[in-house]
């Protein structure tokens, strides 16, 4: 081990360890009353026109990155600006850009309320698949979504969809017919479409809350080097009770290419969270596993997380990823740090 490597590890660990007390001290001096934030929301938030901003600056460090993608250092992972509103006759709109990506347009959705509990969507929006994917970026539990969701969920698509449910919120559903070729703004890349559906329930509990969902998607693809039929199944749940949170999700894919052998990728995550100080500090643990059904086998991580909210608009996230495989050591472990502002 070179002196440079030792110095890098020591300085990084020292920075992470010192960052916690510094942020905690800041939270103790922050008033619960946030008049500036209240004035901001009053100025930019209304039913007819609402502006949103999300900025995430992420630090990424692996002791021995080797052939892994990316580089040690910092990046702007998200720089989003959004506008939304509900207008007369049940019409609504939502548009979101992310200047850290290309193309920058993330969402461009028009909506029409057909009934009290039934909305028609058209344009570019999230495919209704996976609870974790449907959670907005500034509200996810860790710096990144799970491997499974990132690799297998359909993502954002162009198309039309319906969403609705019962008036008491116990049952919800979403269905969509989509191009199936991602955020390609030039239209579909073939004559075939993607069909996606999700149903969820939130039963009444004596204590806490629970949401359980089931997802399905089918498409005939010619994208990303894969040509053939793609069938996706998924299930998820999230239970919270006072300071506790437990969630899990699994996705199974059946890939049947026109040429070559079929594959059946499968992945899942299981998460536990505990609020040390409601609204301020949260500790998290996650088992994150993904098997793409290749000779490389599964990729498994144990992820430790700490979330800290010094104010309503700011969040700090610290993640420590421990790979679980034969021959893994400290040099393979990863630190992710996220500084976030969102309103």
């Amino acid at each position: 081990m070179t002196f440079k490597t030792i110095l890098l590890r020591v300085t990084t660990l020292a920075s992470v360890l010192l960052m916690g007390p510094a942020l905690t001290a800041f939270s103790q001096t922050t008033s619960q009353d946030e008049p500036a934030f209240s004035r901001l929301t009053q100025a930019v938030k209304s039913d007819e026109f609402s502006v949103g901003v999300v900025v995430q600056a992420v630090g990424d460090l692996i002791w021995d990155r080797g052939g892994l993608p990316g580089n040690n250092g910092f990046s702007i992972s998200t720089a989003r600006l959004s506008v939304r509103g509900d207008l007369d006759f049940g019409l609504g709109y939502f548009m979101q850009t992310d200047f850290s990506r290309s193309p920058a347009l993330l969402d461009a959705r028009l909506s029409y309320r057909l009934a009290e509990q039934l909305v028609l969507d058209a344009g570019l929006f999230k495919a209704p698949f996976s609870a974790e994917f449907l959670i907005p970026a500034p509200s996810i539990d860790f710096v990144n979504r799970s491997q499974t969701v990132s690799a297998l969920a359909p993502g954002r698509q162009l198309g039309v969809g319906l969403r609705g449910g019962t008036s008491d919120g116990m049952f919800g559903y979403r269905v969509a017919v989509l191009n199936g070729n991602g955020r390609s703004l030039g239209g579909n890349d073939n004559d075939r479409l993607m069909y996606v559906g999700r149903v969820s329930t939130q039963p009444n509990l004596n204590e806490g809350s629970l949401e359980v969902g089931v997802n399905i998607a089918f498409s005939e693809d010619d994208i990303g080097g894969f040509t053939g039929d793609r069938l996706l199944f998924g299930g998820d749940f999230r239970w919270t009770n006072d300071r506790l949170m437990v969630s899990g999700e699994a996705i199974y894919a059946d890939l049947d290419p026109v040429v070559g052998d079929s594959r059946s990728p499968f992945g899942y995550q299981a998460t536990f969270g505990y609020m040390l100080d409601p609204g301020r500090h949260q500790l998290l643990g996650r088992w994150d596993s993904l098997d793409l059904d290749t000779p490389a086998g599964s990729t498994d991580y144990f992820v430790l997380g700490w979330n800290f909210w010094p104010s309503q608009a700011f969040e700090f996230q610290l993640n420590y990823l421990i790979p679980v495989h034969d021959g893994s050591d400290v040099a393979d472990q990863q630190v992710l740090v996220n500084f976030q502002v969102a309103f």
Side-chain angles (χ1 to χ4, degrees):
M1 184 183 301
T2 66
F3 174 77
K4 182 179 179 181
T5 302
I6 296 173
L7 182 62
L8 174 64
R9 296 186 185 185
V10 171
T11 54
T12 302
L13 285 174
S15 299
V16 170
L17 292 174
L18 291 173
M19 201 176 298
L23 290 170
T24 302
F26 173 76
S27 71
Q28 294 171 350
T29 61
T30 301
S31 172
Q32 295 294 329
D33 184 23
E34 300 181 35
F37 183 77
S38 297
R39 291 193 299 269
L40 173 65
T41 55
Q42 290 174 7
V44 301
K45 304 286 186 183
S46 69
D47 292 340
E48 300 80 16
F49 182 76
S50 180
V51 177
V53 170
V54 181
V55 177
Q56 294 176 329
V58 173
D60 180 356
L61 172 69
I62 299 180
W63 309 128
D64 184 10
R65 189 173 289 271
L68 295 176
N71 298 291
N72 291 338
F74 298 89
S75 65
I76 298 296
S77 65
T78 301
R80 298 186 183 184
L81 178 66
S82 65
V83 293
R84 70 172 71 218
D86 294 317
L87 303 177
D88 301 311
F89 310 113
L91 297 170
Y93 64 92
F94 174 59
M95 186 175 73
Q96 181 173 220
T97 58
D98 189 341
F99 300 108
S100 69
R101 305 187 184 191
S102 180
L105 187 63
L106 284 185
D107 300 277
R109 186 187 72 217
L110 304 175
S111 61
Y112 176 59
R113 187 168 294 278
L114 299 169
E116 184 63 26
Q117 301 296 327
L118 182 61
V119 178
L120 172 68
D121 294 318
L124 174 62
F125 53 91
K126 288 184 174 183
F129 190 104
S130 166
E132 187 179 45
F133 177 65
L134 294 172
I135 295 174
S139 301
I140 60 177
D141 297 318
F142 294 86
V143 176
N144 296 320
R145 291 181 170 89
S146 69
Q147 297 181 93
T148 303
V149 170
S150 299
L152 300 181
R156 286 177 165 86
Q157 304 279 344
L158 271 162
V160 296
L162 286 171
R163 51 189 166 98
T166 57
S167 58
D168 59 5
M170 288 187 62
F171 174 79
Y173 65 89
R174 301 186 185 193
V175 294
V177 180
L178 310 162
N179 281 346
N181 60 332
R183 291 191 298 128
S184 177
L185 305 181
N188 202 356
D189 59 347
N190 53 38
D191 294 327
R192 297 177 290 274
L193 299 171
M194 170 180 281
Y195 307 91
V196 185
R198 172 178 173 82
V199 294
S200 60
T201 182
Q202 299 185 50
N204 290 325
L205 303 179
N206 293 329
E207 295 183 1
S209 64
L210 172 67
E211 179 177 0
V212 179
V214 178
N215 317 279
I216 187 171
F218 174 76
S219 60
E220 296 177 83
D221 294 338
D222 186 9
I223 182 175
F226 175 80
T227 301
D229 295 340
R230 183 189 308 263
L231 181 63
L232 301 172
F233 294 102
D236 50 71
F237 77 92
R238 188 179 185 90
W239 173 80
T240 59
N241 185 17
D242 193 19
R243 300 189 179 195
L244 293 176
M245 182 274 292
V246 179
S247 71
E249 180 164 3
I251 300 176
Y252 169 83
D254 182 13
L255 308 180
D256 187 11
V258 174
V259 178
D261 296 330
S262 297
R263 291 192 297 119
S264 300
F266 173 75
Y268 67 94
Q269 62 87 4
T271 301
F272 172 83
Y274 181 76
M275 281 285 185
L276 294 175
D277 179 11
R280 290 290 187 183
H281 301 274
Q282 183 184 33
L283 295 179
L284 297 160
R286 164 174 285 184
W287 181 267
D288 187 349
S289 177
L290 175 63
D291 187 346
L292 293 176
D293 195 14
T294 64
S298 66
T299 304
D300 300 321
Y301 287 94
F302 182 63
V303 188
L304 297 172
W306 171 44
N307 295 335
F308 168 56
W309 296 268
S311 74
Q312 296 182 68
F314 287 86
E315 181 181 4
F316 169 78
Q317 293 179 298
L318 175 63
N319 291 175
Y320 195 82
L321 287 74
I322 305 171
V324 182
H325 59 77
D326 293 339
S328 64
D329 57 25
V330 174
D332 301 322
Q333 297 170 9
Q334 183 179 20
V335 176
L336 293 174
V337 183
N338 178 38
F339 301 89
Q340 172 183 292
V341 59
F343 61 83

